Amino acid sequence: MTDTSIGPQKQLLLIDDDPNLILLVKDYLEFRGYGVTTAENGREALGILESEIPDMIICDVMMPEMDGYAFVEQVRQDPRTNWIPVLFLSAKGQSQDRVKGLNTGADVYMVKPFEPEELVSQVEASLKQAGRLLKHKIQGGQNGPKIQVPFDVELTPTELKVVQFVARGMANREIAEAMKVSQRTIESHVSNMLAKTGLHNRTELARWAIETKMA
């Protein structure tokens, strides 16, 4: 079973042009309690990120249309996604390949073929680390400059409920389950709040909610 300390149903984005690997890894991760969205290449994945923000990205390196390097560079340049942990999967295992992958922006580099249990362990470790960083940023931010948001921002009752869940560190899928709506609906609410407030990511939304005592 997945470690419940990182929360149930974390959402992963799995990107690979090998349909057999996609099928096997997706089935295994879903069996272990994760939600998995898939894409065949980096360009398709960027389209998914326009409307869905996963908790982690698992990405092949060599792919058509847009390879893993180019994709991760785009992810790291976007404030909406630059915080997401990225795990690279690659058939290239030389030290220079690992160095290039990590320098490009990946957090973990795994060489194919790999044991499914090792992949799950890396995913769990990365999500725990991301959770610790989020908690640290929120707590540390309370001692630093306050989040600046226009004074006339008004949230709908539903948005207020969503941002309270965000401030607790809950993933979109978890919030969707708690509110009995689709994950896409929650992602839409989060995007609307980011647009209203001018904030860049969920971490800032959480800080704002805590600082203004909404959460």
Side-chain angles (χ1 to χ4, degrees), residues 4-171:
T4 55
S5 66
I6 61 173
Q9 284 295 307
K10 292 290 187 180
Q11 185 67 28
L12 311 179
L13 175 57
L14 174 62
I15 313 161
D16 201 295
D17 62 330
D18 182 345
N20 292 322
L21 184 142
I22 283 279
L23 181 63
L24 290 171
V25 173
K26 182 176 187 291
D27 283 351
Y28 195 83
L29 289 170
E30 287 181 339
F31 175 74
R32 294 300 295 266
Y34 295 100
V36 183
T37 301
T38 63
E40 294 183 357
N41 57 63
R43 196 168 303 283
E44 181 182 344
L46 286 178
I48 291 172
L49 290 176
E50 289 295 321
S51 59
E52 300 180 25
I53 302 296
D55 296 290
M56 184 171 180
I57 295 169
I58 302 171
C59 182
D60 188 21
V61 173
M62 305 308 296
M63 298 178 291
E65 296 286 329
M66 177 184 284
D67 66 17
Y69 298 129
F71 168 72
V72 171
E73 286 177 353
Q74 293 278 336
V75 167
R76 293 301 182 228
Q77 290 170 10
D78 187 340
R80 293 174 58 252
T81 59
N82 61 14
W83 57 271
I84 301 175
V86 175
L87 185 154
F88 261 160
L89 298 176
S90 177
K92 296 183 176 182
Q94 298 296 319
S95 60
Q96 61 264 32
D97 298 315
R98 294 176 182 269
V99 169
K100 181 178 180 180
L102 296 172
N103 284 343
T104 300
D107 300 284
V108 181
Y109 191 102
M110 288 186 63
V111 179
K112 300 176 183 178
F114 52 84
E115 291 293 331
E117 280 296 328
E118 182 185 1
L119 176 63
V120 170
S121 294
Q122 292 285 8
V123 168
E124 290 179 353
S126 296
L127 289 172
K128 286 179 181 177
Q129 174 69 3
R132 286 193 293 268
L133 289 173
L134 174 62
K135 184 177 180 181
H136 174 72
K137 286 181 178 180
I138 292 174
Q139 291 177 340
Q142 293 175 8
N143 298 322
K146 286 190 174 295
I147 290 287
Q148 298 297 314
V149 169
F151 72 92
D152 58 348
V153 169
E154 292 186 8
L155 300 184
T156 67
T158 301
E159 288 172 344
L160 179 59
K161 188 174 295 185
V162 170
V163 81
Q164 289 171 342
F165 282 129
V166 170
R168 296 178 197 172
M170 293 175 65

